[in-house]
Amino acid sequence: MTIFINAVRNSAGRLIIALLPNTDALFMSLLDRSLAAVWHPCTQMKQHEQQPLIAIARGEGPWLFDSDGKRYLDAVSSWWVNLFGHCNAHINQRLREQLEKLEHVMLAGFTHEPVVRLSEKLSALTGGALGHAFYASDGASATEIALKMSLHYWRNSGRGSKDRFVCLAGSYHGETVGALAVTDIALFRDAYAPLVRAADTVPSPDARTAEAGESAVDVARRAAAILEAWLIDNHERTAALIVEPLVQCATGMAMYDPEYLRLARALCDKYEVHLIADEIAVGCGRTGTFFACEQSGIWPDFICLSKGISGGYLPLSLVLSRDSIYQAFYADDVSRGFLHSHSYTGNPLACTAALATLEIFEHENVLARNAERAASMRAAAQPLAEHPCVKHLRQQGMILAFDVSGASSGFARRYGDAAREAGVLLRPIGNTVYWMPPYVLDEAEFSLLGKVSLDALQVSL
């Protein structure tokens, strides 16, 4: 049925809508209705006066199609969540099957097959080093869970003074209040400073900070030495160090050598501080291994997962923890339990999507094939590497990024607009352009991505 809507603007310029009883009314576009009714995330809404929304009607593989039929290569995996393309046939089928069985049941006092199987599979992927998955729906919630578990562990262990956290400079771990405490990006954090108990920060091992003659390994060792100096003075009050393994995404795809994680693990053991690995963006094969931590040969005390774990289908996040941490909460005293909950914790449909995602990893040799795709990405980016304004072109698995020097204010918006006009979705972070596509692009699509990225650069400087 066609919906007819009346539209007026109030004194503040806000679009107000109301249903009308007759068919002579103004018919509004979906874009206008969205602006009138939806507050879009991570957006200064006034910018949409000049930059129209895109109404997406359907998706297929790495492509999104708008309501006019124009297609866009989803080179950012719809905010880093989509792994195997839109409307993936295997995930679709598994969800259809689960819909006929169980859509949801609370996980307090109940359980179900999908959540048990998923928890078992994820623990097995760590070789049993971590288990007892605790579920939520989004990445920030997973961060909150890990922070609370760490602090509560030390309290249950009779060391309640260990109630502080340390993070890397430029870190990002989510935008809820606890997650903002360990997020070192002023744009997200400073407006809410009265609510936030800010963590301490130590230098990032970002390889771009290498001094003359230094390698990425040298930078990692230098940053780890500073971390140890900090821990010497502060370990008695510190619950955990939280890191984004190998790639700090939201701060501009800062990449670093696995040596830092090896050293950080040893230091956390030495000074009795938990290590939390936020693999929300970098897990599920993004960096070349299923867990980014695998490239350092270490396991943290907690792993946070979200984004790609459900293949980009449904909200799902989780925290895996060491058994020694789980045991610290196992007691007759209710107050020693981890009394944290979300209504949709362990939702059967979301867990089914995650299981289907893991089945694709198992059956299609995804990690080995991603090594080939990563080589195609590098080849497609080679013309960019030769551009005089491109600096620090870097890659970690299925993440590729470069910085643009000499760009004037508004570069990210201009670049994104130019790429979109050419049929590719790219969303620069400041002066950093990155590719984080689904694991399904072919050679022609990588070539298109490279060409459009270079063309957009030429017109955006």
Side-chain angles (χ1 to χ4, degrees), residues 5 45 52 90 92 137 146 193 199 204 228 236 246 325 424 441:
I5 301 173
M45 293 296 294
H90 180 71
N92 285 357
S137 58
S204 166
E228 179 164 28
E236 291 183 356
L246 302 186
I325 291 168
V424 175
L441 270 64

Side-chain angles (χ1 to χ4, degrees), residues 58 172 269 368:
R58 66 183 184 91
Y172 175 88
D269 288 340

Side-chain angles (χ1 to χ4, degrees), residues 145-157 159-160 162-165 197 239-240 274 276 302 329:
I145 288 164
L147 296 175
K148 288 176 66 176
M149 278 184 174
S150 177
L151 183 146
H152 201 162
Y153 168 90
W154 293 114
R155 176 185 172 186
N156 283 354
S157 302
R159 303 176 69 180
K162 291 174 74 68
D163 64 355
R164 301 286 298 181
F165 298 93
R197 185 188 182 210
H274 289 146
I276 301 172
F302 303 90
F329 292 83

Side-chain angles (χ1 to χ4, degrees), residues 70-101:
K70 181 176 180 178
R71 70 176 191 169
Y72 305 85
L73 184 67
D74 188 358
V76 297
S77 296
S78 290
W79 244 346
W80 317 345
V81 301
N82 189 283
L83 300 189
F84 299 118
H86 298 279
C87 293
N88 180 276
H90 180 71
I91 302 175
N92 285 357
Q93 181 58 34
R94 287 288 186 260
L95 285 171
R96 289 189 193 99
E97 294 167 359
Q98 183 60 39
L99 275 169
E100 298 300 323
K101 298 176 184 178

Side-chain angles (χ1 to χ4, degrees), residues 84 88-104 112-119 121-122 135 308-316 318 344-360:
F84 299 118
N88 180 276
H90 180 71
I91 302 175
N92 285 357
Q93 181 58 34
R94 287 288 186 260
L95 285 171
R96 289 189 193 99
E97 294 167 359
Q98 183 60 39
L99 275 169
E100 298 300 323
K101 298 176 184 178
L102 177 67
E103 84 299 341
H104 184 65
H112 52 81
E113 180 73 15
V115 77
V116 173
R117 287 181 55 219
L118 179 58
S119 302
K121 284 181 174 290
L122 290 171
Y135 290 88
I309 189 59
S310 73
Y313 267 69
L314 290 164
L316 180 69
L318 60 101
Y344 283 90
T345 290
N347 173 260
L349 292 171
C351 290
T352 296
L355 284 166
T357 297
L358 295 182
E359 288 170 356
I360 295 173

